[in-house]
Amino acid sequence: MTGRSADPASDTAMNMDMERFGPITRAVARFGAEWRWEDIPEAVRHEARRSLLNYFAVALAGSADPTVDIAASVFARFSAGQQATVIGRGQRMDMLNAASLNAMMANVFDFDDTHPATIIHPTAPVAPAAFALAQVQPVSGARLLHAFILGAEIECRMGNALTLGHYAHGWHITSTCGVFGAAIASASLLGLDARRTAWALAGAGNQTGGLVETLGTMSKSISVGNTARNGLLSALLAREGLAGPDQPIEGARGVLNVLSATPAPEKLIDGLGQRWELRTNTYKPYPCGVVLNPVIEAVLALRERMALADRDPARVARVELTGHPLLRQRTDRPGVRNGRESQVSAQHAIAVCLLHGRAGLAEFSDQAVAAPRAHALDMRLRFHDDDAYTVDAVHIRITLDDGRDFEHRIDAARGSSGNPLTDADLENKLHELCAYGGSGCDAEAIIGGIWELETLTDAGKLMARVAGTPRTEIRTG
Amino acid sequence: MTGRSADPASDTAMNMDMERFGPITRAVARFGAEWRWEDIPEAVRHEARRSLLNYFAVALAGSADPTVDIAASVFARFSAGQQATVIGRGQRMDMLNAASLNAMMANVFDFDDTHPATIIHPTAPVAPAAFALAQVQPVSGARLLHAFILGAEIECRMGNALTLGHYAHGWHITSTCGVFGAAIASASLLGLDARRTAWALAGAGNQTGGLVETLGTMSKSISVGNTARNGLLSALLAREGLAGPDQPIEGARGVLNVLSATPAPEKLIDGLGQRWELRTNTYKPYPCGVVLNPVIEAVLALRERMALADRDPARVARVELTGHPLLRQRTDRPGVRNGRESQVSAQHAIAVCLLHGRAGLAEFSDQAVAAPRAHALDMRLRFHDDDAYTVDAVHIRITLDDGRDFEHRIDAARGSSGNPLTDADLENKLHELCAYGGSGCDAEAIIGGIWELETLTDAGKLMARVAGTPRTEIRTG
């Protein structure tokens, strides 16, 4: 491993001190404590900036969500001081509560980033912990970016090591893995040595959890918020000497064996520092299940070729969708009852795209679902499974009531690994979501701050640009 | 189910509202929200008082533990106000932090109560949440006892429903189940209806966790503290409307299916309100693994028959222990290095009992392990497995260097289900541990308050009696 301290004597002392730990725990802790900024490639740093841009966009959008309102009203009663910014709400809390709320709001619409190999949303757990800490203990933008990258890397690798069965079994993988990312990022910013970083990992492991059963409900946000809060707390406790076991990750009753039936510990460390998981991060153009991306893109393209009068779902006689079987399995959902359900409904997505020519948060809200024409396609959509299609591809044929056909095919939807959102796309997303959330923040100032993050001497000051104005309290708690 | 409200109209409305929930979630939530104090037998109430007496004893002993010192130094920075008492430390924090610390200290020595069927320590997660809430929102002693009983009942039944494989797989069952007990007790004290109690269960389920790998390290206390904190928080969030899924417990990706390979959901509800798990609660006479109880009792009895000069482990030629195979598997541990290891070492337990004629926390401390004669038996102990023995029984033969033999047999050790500690034993335990912890609290005043808890108009006031005096800060955080 490169990236260690250059002092061989201190390396030797540390090596002896670290011998007690299991090899996986040791390697992960050393990576978190010792991997150097200089040894992180520019391409990884740039992907980190893109991740943070997307993070602030989705957090600003989610800052006014009712789930966040409720949590903020309760957390405000348990906040010791106002050191850290709660995004978009003109509100400050202590760093643990702010970290939790900012993680919740970034993920509340599932509009945040996606690590394709695991379906982890990498940034929502890690960035809030790092920025909250940076507001209490000032650090440079480069140090913050460094810590964020190390944290996100371990988070995604934890997901790889737990393997696909972990999520399928019912663990909400962003919650279960996010806490490790937040712990590593926090440990890095606190300057913990490898031993204490290992203790932070143990504290994170002893707090990991979160159930898929809660998805689609407000309760989901509790475990997502806990990732940032508890990862940060684990690092703070480790700094004061709260020691953990020698093999928190690979032990017989440690994280991997308990939370996975088929753990692959080597995936945590193989190529660590050479292959960067964060490089594969993807960003959603639409606030929907990712399998709907090509459908939405196809309908928006078709609509451009249709006359104004043809763009009415009530005039559609039949829609045929050909795609990967997962498309049907996940999104054949007529009769949705609320905005959250509409995010995974092909019937709804096609109807609102035809109607409005856009697919933003407003088109997948409770209000959009309540509009009568949103349900026009509920009985008129047929799926054709075809394994030759990837989940990023689709063919759509819309037949109008006068018999005319419109067809379109998408091979790699925008936002997929093969057709990633550009930097400009991400800037536009931030503009749009900043406006949607109604925080009154200056989108350009935020964008500028993120692109130049590496040059800031006090990274925490960026949070002033996403603070927003106070919300009308909806509850008194 | 008896114990519901007497108003049939409101019952009907509530029944319809509750139809959406799965049958297990529904029954558990209704039990927590609606089971009446009048329908709890006096024997259960008395066992609850005994549990609380044991709880305050072990919490007062643990209040000065270094793990608690570290956690308290960090938590103090994140405490919003001083509404709730941190036991034995002359310190007050907000109710979430106080609940967490009080749970930690009650369990830190594993000297707390044991639910025999699951090995859950039932009181440490539930009582701290209930008492912290009672200091913020005054309730009568009867209401507090009522809430504690409902919480502990669901906690233990959750353990039954997760079945024995859950713990064996590596889940720290006190942590994983405790959060449900704290949630139910808190929901009860907050007066939540059944629907909101179900949401509190969902919030608890989305925060359940804790790994056996951390046992024997400071890290263990993080998840134990979280049980009380997060159970209480789940109820507070549910009160404000943070909704959960319909089947948090029994759903395909809910608590039981995700955390157990062989879930037995019916064990949560069979005989609910008729058979009380809390009635089976047991209390340790010694701060050791429970399988050592008969060994310690046998040595203490033998020692009474030995001359002063014979009571020296250095004079022992051989010790033979005949007992259940678990005794050997769990406690054949020569060469222990610290107090925590000594708590599960037969070699150490026999040596210190011979030397000192007692087996309290001082005899299982780091200092006791450091004494040279504590290791005199490390190479002189032989185990004989015999399945005819229960884990509460043992036969011991000690042979001195002059050939004389001393033998004793225990059939049902004190503290076991067959030979429970008496009320007077528990009072003595509180006296002893209160002195051990050095808080300066008046043991008699605490004991009196617990026995008369049901008559108090403000249960939270009992906490003034366990507050203690400020500790010298060992850290600055």
Side-chain angles (χ1 to χ4, degrees):
Chain A
M1 192 190 287
T2 61
R4 287 183 185 166
S5 105
D7 175 357
S10 89
D11 256 22
T12 306
M14 176 59 78
N15 276 330
M16 289 181 61
D17 198 36
M18 291 302 290
E19 281 305 313
R20 59 180 297 186
F21 291 104
I24 304 289
T25 296
R26 190 165 59 230
V28 170
R30 294 204 71 152
F31 178 76
E34 300 165 11
W35 191 270
R36 294 188 310 180
W37 173 238
E38 294 73 17
D39 295 318
I40 297 175
E42 167 55 23
V44 178
R45 297 179 189 184
H46 189 63
E47 205 60 56
R49 287 188 287 269
R50 285 162 51 85
S51 300
L52 291 176
L53 210 154
N54 188 71
Y55 161 70
F56 284 111
V58 290
L60 284 163
S63 63
D65 186 80
T67 300
V68 179
D69 283 339
I70 293 175
S73 75
V74 173
F75 287 12
R77 295 163 52 195
F78 298 102
S79 179
Q82 309 201 318
Q83 298 84 0
T85 301
V86 181
I87 294 173
R89 302 178 62 87
Q91 194 173 17
R92 295 171 70 92
M93 295 196 190
D94 68 35
M95 62 176 163
L96 294 179
N97 284 300
S100 181
L101 289 169
N102 291 342
M104 286 184 181
M105 67 176 70
N107 170 262
V108 70
F109 297 127
D110 284 308
F111 200 4
D112 43 341
D113 49 355
T114 305
H115 175 240
T118 59
I119 322 295
I120 287 173
H121 300 295
T123 303
V126 182
F131 275 101
L133 192 47
Q135 289 191 275
V136 173
Q137 181 177 302
V139 293
S140 71
R143 270 202 73 191
L144 188 137
L145 208 58
H146 182 193
F148 170 73
I149 290 167
L150 300 181
E153 185 66 20
I154 295 306
E155 171 190 36
C156 293
R157 284 172 170 267
M158 186 65 75
N160 289 340
L162 288 166
T163 73
L164 293 179
H166 170 75
Y167 198 168
H169 182 66
W171 290 112
H172 183 227
I173 194 165
T174 295
S175 298
T176 56
C177 296
V179 68
F180 296 99
I184 288 290
S186 304
S188 171
L189 287 178
L190 289 168
L192 302 194
D193 63 19
R195 186 175 59 133
R196 286 175 194 251
T197 302
W199 295 345
L201 286 169
N206 210 23
Q207 299 187 85
T208 186
L211 302 174
V212 169
E213 193 71 29
T214 63
L215 298 192
T217 77
M218 288 179 162
S219 199
K220 172 194 76 165
S221 293
I222 299 178
S223 63
V224 175
N226 277 349
T227 59
R229 180 193 191 280
N230 292 341
L232 174 50
L233 180 63
S234 296
L236 293 169
L237 290 168
R239 179 171 65 167
E240 302 305 322
L242 199 105
D246 295 341
Q247 305 199 30
I249 307 300
E250 67 272 59
R253 292 179 176 80
V255 174
L256 294 179
N257 284 315
V258 173
L259 280 91
S260 174
T262 56
E266 71 283 359
K267 295 199 172 180
L268 265 162
I269 58 171
D270 283 356
L272 191 57
Q274 309 308 320
R275 258 193 350 267
W276 294 85
E277 294 299 316
L278 192 60
R279 275 286 277 142
T280 70
N281 205 13
T282 62
Y283 314 93
K284 292 182 177 183
Y286 315 111
C288 301
V290 282
V291 285
L292 282 177
N293 282 355
V295 177
I296 289 167
E297 202 173 325
V299 177
L300 294 178
L302 271 186
R303 186 178 187 275
E304 291 301 307
R305 311 203 310 259
M306 297 167 92
L308 259 179
D310 295 338
R311 296 171 178 176
D312 180 353
R315 293 207 46 205
V316 170
R318 191 168 65 248
V319 179
E320 291 176 276
L321 269 185
T322 306
H324 190 277
L326 266 180
L327 175 62
R328 176 185 52 75
Q329 291 164 23
R330 295 279 167 84
T331 72
D332 181 9
R333 197 179 303 256
V336 297
R337 294 163 298 178
N338 55 55
R340 224 179 272 272
E341 282 185 1
S342 77
Q343 293 178 294
V344 283
S345 165
Q347 286 85 352
H348 180 87
I350 297 168
V352 292
C353 286
L354 269 181
L355 266 176
H356 305 296
R358 33 174 290 129
L361 283 165
E363 284 71 41
F364 295 88
S365 63
D366 291 350
Q367 292 88 323
V369 170
R373 283 189 296 183
H375 291 275
L377 303 183
D378 276 359
M379 297 297 127
R380 301 183 201 168
L381 175 57
R382 286 186 56 191
F383 287 85
H384 303 285
D385 288 359
D386 187 340
D387 281 324
Y389 283 73
T390 71
V391 291
D392 300 319
V394 79
H395 178 270
I396 188 168
R397 180 198 305 265
I398 295 182
T399 308
L400 298 186
D401 51 8
D402 58 10
R404 280 177 301 143
D405 268 353
F406 295 84
E407 285 186 70
H408 199 79
R409 181 182 167 109
I410 297 288
D411 289 317
R414 284 176 64 234
S416 67
S417 299
N419 187 7
L421 293 198
T422 64
D423 292 355
D425 287 336
L426 288 170
E427 291 184 6
N428 289 338
K429 184 173 175 181
L430 191 137
H431 270 285
E432 188 181 333
L433 296 193
C434 184
Y436 182 85
S439 62
C441 292
D442 175 353
E444 274 305 313
I446 301 167
I447 292 167
I450 293 166
W451 291 139
E452 72 185 12
L453 180 59
E454 215 169 309
T455 67
L456 300 182
T457 54
D458 183 350
K461 287 196 171 156
L462 185 61
M463 294 303 286
R465 304 186 195 180
V466 294
T469 49
R471 306 277 167 165
T472 310
E473 278 291 336
I474 59 154
R475 285 153 202 285
T476 57
Chain B
M1 192 191 286
T2 62
R4 286 184 184 166
S5 107
D7 175 356
S10 90
D11 257 23
T12 306
M14 175 59 77
N15 276 331
M16 289 180 62
D17 198 34
M18 292 301 290
E19 281 305 312
R20 59 181 294 187
F21 291 104
I24 304 290
T25 296
R26 191 164 59 227
V28 170
R30 295 205 69 152
F31 177 76
E34 299 166 10
W35 191 271
R36 295 188 311 180
W37 173 238
E38 294 73 17
D39 295 318
I40 297 175
E42 167 55 23
V44 178
R45 298 179 189 184
H46 189 64
E47 206 60 55
R49 288 187 288 268
R50 284 161 52 85
S51 301
L52 292 176
L53 209 154
N54 188 72
Y55 160 69
F56 284 112
V58 291
L60 284 163
S63 63
D65 186 81
T67 301
V68 179
D69 283 339
I70 292 175
S73 75
V74 174
F75 287 13
R77 295 163 53 195
F78 298 102
S79 180
Q82 310 200 316
Q83 299 83 1
T85 301
V86 181
I87 294 173
R89 301 178 61 88
Q91 195 173 16
R92 296 171 69 92
M93 295 195 189
D94 68 35
M95 62 176 164
L96 294 179
N97 284 300
S100 181
L101 290 169
N102 291 341
M104 286 184 180
M105 66 177 70
N107 170 262
V108 71
F109 297 127
D110 284 309
F111 201 3
D112 45 341
D113 50 356
T114 305
H115 175 240
T118 59
I119 322 295
I120 287 172
H121 300 296
T123 303
V126 183
F131 275 101
L133 193 46
Q135 289 190 275
V136 173
Q137 180 178 304
V139 293
S140 71
R143 269 201 74 190
L144 186 137
L145 209 58
H146 182 192
F148 169 72
I149 290 168
L150 300 181
E153 185 66 20
I154 294 307
E155 171 190 36
C156 293
R157 284 172 169 267
M158 186 65 75
N160 289 339
L162 288 165
T163 72
L164 294 178
H166 170 74
Y167 198 168
H169 182 65
W171 290 112
H172 183 227
I173 194 166
T174 295
S175 298
T176 56
C177 296
V179 67
F180 296 99
I184 288 289
S186 303
S188 171
L189 286 177
L190 290 169
L192 302 193
D193 62 20
R195 185 175 60 132
R196 285 172 196 253
T197 301
W199 294 346
L201 286 169
N206 209 24
Q207 300 188 85
T208 187
L211 301 174
V212 169
E213 193 72 28
T214 64
L215 298 192
T217 77
M218 289 180 162
S219 200
K220 172 194 77 165
S221 293
I222 300 178
S223 62
V224 174
N226 276 350
T227 59
R229 180 192 191 280
N230 292 342
L232 174 50
L233 180 63
S234 296
L236 292 169
L237 290 168
R239 179 172 66 168
E240 302 305 321
L242 199 105
D246 295 340
Q247 305 199 30
I249 307 300
E250 67 271 61
R253 291 180 176 80
V255 175
L256 293 178
N257 284 314
V258 173
L259 280 92
S260 173
T262 55
E266 70 285 358
K267 294 199 173 181
L268 265 162
I269 58 170
D270 282 355
L272 191 58
Q274 309 308 319
R275 259 194 349 267
W276 294 85
E277 293 299 316
L278 192 59
R279 275 286 279 141
T280 70
N281 205 14
T282 62
Y283 314 93
K284 290 181 177 182
Y286 316 111
C288 303
V290 283
V291 285
L292 282 177
N293 282 355
V295 177
I296 289 168
E297 202 173 325
V299 177
L300 294 178
L302 272 185
R303 187 177 186 275
E304 291 301 306
R305 310 203 310 259
M306 297 166 94
L308 259 178
D310 295 339
R311 296 171 178 175
D312 180 353
R315 293 207 46 205
V316 170
R318 193 169 64 247
V319 180
E320 291 175 276
L321 269 186
T322 308
H324 190 277
L326 266 180
L327 175 62
R328 176 185 53 75
Q329 292 166 21
R330 296 277 167 83
T331 72
D332 181 9
R333 197 179 303 256
V336 296
R337 294 163 297 177
N338 55 54
R340 225 179 271 271
E341 282 184 1
S342 78
Q343 294 178 294
V344 283
S345 166
Q347 287 85 351
H348 179 87
I350 297 168
V352 292
C353 286
L354 270 181
L355 267 176
H356 305 297
R358 33 175 289 129
L361 284 165
E363 286 70 41
F364 295 88
S365 64
D366 292 350
Q367 291 90 321
V369 169
R373 284 189 297 182
H375 291 276
L377 302 183
D378 276 0
M379 295 299 130
R380 301 184 202 166
L381 175 56
R382 287 187 55 193
F383 287 84
H384 303 285
D385 288 0
D386 188 339
D387 281 324
Y389 283 72
T390 71
V391 291
D392 300 319
V394 79
H395 178 270
I396 187 167
R397 179 198 306 265
I398 296 182
T399 307
L400 298 187
D401 52 9
D402 59 11
R404 280 177 300 143
D405 268 353
F406 295 83
E407 285 185 70
H408 198 79
R409 181 183 168 109
I410 298 287
D411 288 317
R414 284 175 65 231
S416 68
S417 299
N419 186 8
L421 293 198
T422 64
D423 292 356
D425 289 335
L426 288 169
E427 292 184 5
N428 290 337
K429 183 172 175 181
L430 190 137
H431 270 285
E432 188 181 332
L433 297 192
C434 184
Y436 182 86
S439 62
C441 293
D442 176 352
E444 274 305 313
I446 300 166
I447 292 167
I450 294 165
W451 290 139
E452 71 184 14
L453 181 58
E454 214 169 309
T455 69
L456 300 182
T457 53
D458 184 349
K461 288 198 171 155
L462 185 61
M463 295 303 286
R465 304 186 195 181
V466 296
T469 49
R471 307 277 166 166
T472 310
E473 278 291 336
I474 59 156
R475 285 152 202 286
T476 57

